[in-house]
Amino acid sequence: ALCSPAPRCVETAQLFLDASYKTANTSSGKPPLILDSRMYDGTMQPEGSRLFRSIGYAPLREYLENPDANDANAAKFVLGEYARTSLDVIWEEVIAKHDSDAAEKSADSKNGETLLFFAHAIYLPSAVLGLASAVGCIGEELDIVLDTNTQEAQGYLMHIHDQTVSLLQRPGE
């Protein structure tokens, strides 16, 4: 599980991991929580803070297609940088380590692995959009990420092999 070291993200991740571990009733144990400061530092950019104060919690599309061209360009830069940084973190902390461990483990033991990624408000869908684009998701799959106003305790489920994305939310929402 990758997580921003921001206290709210860590708290959310711990609650989720504790609950899912108890529900899963698995002997493999809870996944480790990897805190990476780049996932927090990327949110602390003055231009990103200015945009968030102006637009607030809103779908990514409202940021990226803002009628104010300066704000739209700033959002594309700030959120694009966050998405690129997120992909770097995923590569370094998960994929590269997975590849180096693969020589020691059989291929069958890695089937079905899940990456949990905990991040901030508008930045979480930015990271999802970056990953979805990188693995070839198109059209409706990207629209889910672009058009959802991601709320607290919501997230996205991406099936990389199927190139699908769906919204995860609490029951009843």
Side-chain angles (χ1 to χ4, degrees), residues 40-165:
Y40 182 67
D41 296 343
T43 67
M44 295 290 102
Q45 303 305 316
E47 196 64 1
S49 296
R50 181 189 68 75
L51 287 168
F52 190 76
R53 279 192 306 276
S54 172
I55 301 170
Y57 293 97
L60 272 180
R61 196 177 302 276
E62 288 186 32
Y63 279 82
L64 302 174
E65 296 178 5
N66 192 308
D68 181 321
N70 290 329
D71 282 354
N73 288 332
K76 288 173 186 171
F77 177 78
V78 170
L79 298 174
E81 284 297 310
Y82 189 84
R84 280 186 284 284
T85 298
S86 297
L87 289 175
D88 288 345
V89 170
I90 291 168
W91 174 260
E92 293 166 16
E93 294 294 339
V94 179
I95 298 170
K97 288 181 180 178
H98 175 283
D99 289 347
S100 67
D101 290 345
E104 299 174 25
K105 297 180 179 180
S106 72
D108 289 339
S109 69
K110 288 300 200 177
N111 287 343
E113 279 197 3
T114 301
L115 169 65
L116 303 171
F117 190 93
F118 298 91
H120 308 262
I122 196 70
Y123 295 97
L124 175 61
S126 299
V128 172
L129 183 64
L131 183 57
S133 298
V135 301
C137 294
I138 58 171
E140 192 176 292
E141 304 305 322
L142 298 181
D143 287 340
I144 290 169
V145 181
L146 286 166
D147 295 332
T148 298
N149 185 2
T150 310
Q151 302 293 310
E152 187 171 339
Q154 288 184 334
Y156 298 88
L157 176 63
M158 184 183 314
H159 293 281
I160 291 177
H161 297 293
D162 298 337
Q163 296 177 321
T164 61
V165 179

